[in-house]
Amino acid sequence: MRVLVVEDERLLADAIAEWLRNDAHAVDLAYDGAAALDRVGVNDYDVVVLDRDLPLVHGDDVCREIVRDGTAARVLMLTAAAEVTDRVDGLGLGADDYLTKPFAFPELAARVHALGRRCRPAAPPTLHRAGITLDPARREVFRDGRYVPLARKEFAVLAELLRADGAVVSAEQLLEKAWDEHADPFTGAVRLTILELRRKLAEPPVVETVKGAGYRIP
């Protein structure tokens, strides 16, 4: 998934981003509310992890803008305020979930996964197609019962192809969902990742190239 982490405490923001990247998400960072609005305006995010107390533009206002624009992004609001009224206020702004600091990284990651499922059409937690089984929670892939060890980008690309349910996924879509905003749109990263994914999934070939359109798992 594509995730935006908005947190002005840079060490915490970087730690959250690294944890989510280890879960095979593409993660962008913003350290203030103004930068968050800039990124939301140009990128399609599945989940926004949003600190409430932000400089320049308050987190409440960022949340209002996201909701008002009608984007598909789900908002997980973070705050040090643990009172029930604070949680109610945050949810009343349109946030989809609320997590108080300090929090456990595994819980944050689980909430991001849950929100990501809500921003997509309903899909089973474990994905199956063409003899492939992918478990997002355990980060495990099997091909005809054989365990397939994948790097983070390979896992993310395979997950997007499986979620497409046989439809073609363009290289641009894969770049959007599996890489962050620093990815070069003219890079060969998607093609090289597909090649390595095919090698690891082994014979018979399962990832098809649709000329001029992208890739699919029929």
Side-chain angles (χ1 to χ4, degrees):
M1 292 186 296
R2 186 78 179 269
V3 181
L4 175 64
V5 175
V6 191
E7 167 62 63
D8 63 320
E9 295 181 39
R10 292 189 175 233
L11 289 177
L12 177 58
D14 294 345
I16 293 172
E18 184 61 24
W19 189 277
L20 294 176
R21 286 171 182 145
N22 286 334
D23 260 359
H25 300 305
V27 183
D28 296 335
L29 282 165
Y31 301 115
D32 61 67
L37 290 176
D38 287 343
R39 284 167 174 75
V40 169
V42 297
N43 297 312
D44 293 325
Y45 292 105
D46 297 297
V47 178
V48 178
V49 179
L50 178 66
D51 183 40
R52 193 171 185 185
D53 190 15
L54 292 170
L56 300 185
V57 178
H58 196 275
D60 289 359
D61 295 320
V62 174
C63 185
R64 287 190 188 97
E65 282 294 314
I66 292 173
V67 173
R68 189 179 69 181
D69 288 347
T71 67
R74 301 293 181 175
V75 176
L76 170 58
M77 189 169 278
L78 303 178
T79 182
E83 295 296 326
V84 172
T85 53
D86 294 306
R87 296 198 297 272
V88 170
D89 288 345
L91 294 170
L93 293 168
D96 298 278
D97 199 359
Y98 202 98
L99 188 60
T100 57
K101 300 176 182 177
F103 52 81
F105 285 107
E107 181 182 4
L108 182 143
R111 288 173 182 258
V112 168
H113 272 295
L115 290 177
R117 288 197 299 270
R118 288 169 57 185
C119 75
R120 301 167 179 265
T126 301
L127 303 172
H128 302 275
R129 193 172 188 84
I132 298 170
T133 299
L134 183 146
D135 187 334
R138 297 177 185 270
R139 250 197 110 247
E140 292 180 340
V141 173
F142 293 86
R143 172 89 190 269
D144 296 326
R146 174 182 63 86
Y147 176 68
V148 182
L150 296 180
R152 286 183 294 178
K153 296 303 182 192
E154 296 159 4
F155 186 92
V157 166
L158 180 60
E160 289 301 319
L161 292 173
L162 290 173
R163 288 189 181 105
D165 198 26
V168 175
V169 183
S170 70
E172 291 77 13
Q173 289 173 303
L174 292 174
L175 199 64
E176 171 75 21
K177 293 299 184 182
W179 278 263
D180 60 26
E181 64 183 350
H182 302 295
D184 182 353
F186 300 104
T187 184
V190 172
R191 182 178 60 84
L192 293 175
T193 300
I194 290 288
L195 288 174
E196 188 62 15
L197 187 57
R198 285 173 173 152
R199 185 187 69 80
K200 290 185 177 180
L201 291 173
E203 299 293 331
V206 67
V207 180
E208 287 187 356
T209 298
V210 180
K211 191 172 180 179
Y215 307 92
R216 69 176 178 179
I217 297 177

